Amino acid sequence: MKKLKFYAYLVPSKEKQGITDSWPECERHVKGVNGARYRSFNSREAASEWLHSGAEYEKKPARVKAKLSPGVYFDAGTGRGEGVEISVTDEKGVNLLPKVLPRAKLNRFGKHLVAHADATNNYGELLALKYALRYAIKEEEKSIFGDSKLVIDHWSKYQIKRKEVAPKTVKLAEEVSSMREEFEADGGVISRVSGADNPADLGFHR
């Protein structure tokens, strides 16, 4: 048997409030009404208590961003609808791509738009790691961070399913894996960071 729910609603503009066990009825009172508040509860008592306490929504505490280690951060995204973009920054979000790419290859946001139309987001992550490695090797940085498990744990370690991935991606994976070997042989480390904390994040998955 389906568990009964109770819906409490408050409509300040109409000085109306109530409790019902019918969602359609609750929706009829609140839908499209500016300032209307409503919540579902497992008991009428809890619904009544919410109304009597002011029908306030609980505010979620602001997420505290992790303290980031100095280093090079990379990311890719497709959120602007123009294709895959890549980003490489330091821990403060300062764009590092101009250090490894000519200005002509950067878009108006200072990011690099991947040229071929069939590029996937994973391809973009791999390409972003390539330029992060290029910068780190050039500037003798020892720490690189990204949020792609696939790229960091597999594709940049020669671990790629060649028959299931486009030849262009396989070729890039081999190049990046070779660069990673050079980077790590000189004491470099590539680590994962949460996408929500990644300063190179393009803002597409927040």
Side-chain angles (χ1 to χ4, degrees), residues 41-206:
F41 296 89
N42 292 326
S43 71
R44 185 177 290 275
E45 290 75 18
S48 179
E49 184 179 337
W50 182 70
L51 283 177
H52 289 142
S53 65
E56 295 291 339
Y57 290 128
E58 293 178 3
K59 293 183 178 179
K60 292 183 180 179
R63 183 181 182 277
V64 178
K65 293 200 74 172
K67 186 175 180 180
L68 299 174
S69 300
V72 183
Y73 292 76
F74 70 93
D75 188 36
T78 57
R80 277 189 258 269
E82 299 175 356
V84 178
E85 286 180 67
I86 67 168
S87 170
V88 179
T89 75
D90 66 11
E91 70 279 4
K92 297 176 182 176
V94 175
N95 187 16
L96 302 178
L97 282 174
K99 301 284 188 180
V100 291
L101 279 172
R103 290 281 180 182
K105 290 193 174 182
L106 303 179
N107 62 17
R108 65 186 183 279
F109 304 104
K111 308 304 179 183
H112 175 63
L113 184 64
V114 181
H116 57 287
D118 59 343
T120 64
N121 189 72
N122 287 330
Y123 179 92
E125 293 276 2
L126 187 62
L127 186 62
L129 176 53
K130 170 184 172 179
Y131 289 119
L133 281 162
R134 182 178 291 179
Y135 176 87
I137 292 169
K138 176 184 173 184
E139 301 295 332
E140 298 184 350
E141 288 280 357
K142 299 303 180 186
S143 299
I144 293 177
F145 302 89
D147 54 55
S148 172
K149 178 178 175 61
L150 177 66
V151 167
I152 293 174
D153 294 349
H154 301 284
W155 282 9
S156 62
K157 292 182 174 182
Y158 296 105
Q159 298 172 18
I160 189 167
K161 296 179 180 178
R162 298 169 185 272
K163 294 181 180 180
E164 299 177 15
V165 180
K168 188 183 289 287
T169 303
V170 173
K171 183 178 179 181
L172 178 61
E174 290 176 345
E175 180 184 3
V176 172
S177 296
S178 176
M179 293 175 71
R180 179 172 184 166
E181 282 186 335
E182 177 187 350
F183 175 67
E184 291 181 334
D186 199 32
V189 177
I190 300 177
S191 308
R192 288 178 59 206
V193 65
S194 164
D197 294 320
N198 190 349
D201 176 54
L202 289 155
F204 302 150
H205 54 57
R206 287 180 175 172

Side-chain angles (χ1 to χ4, degrees), residues 27-41:
E27 185 179 35
R28 180 170 57 84
H29 290 294
V30 302
K31 187 174 182 180
V33 181
N34 189 34
R37 299 195 291 274
Y38 55 94
R39 273 188 64 181
S40 67
F41 296 89

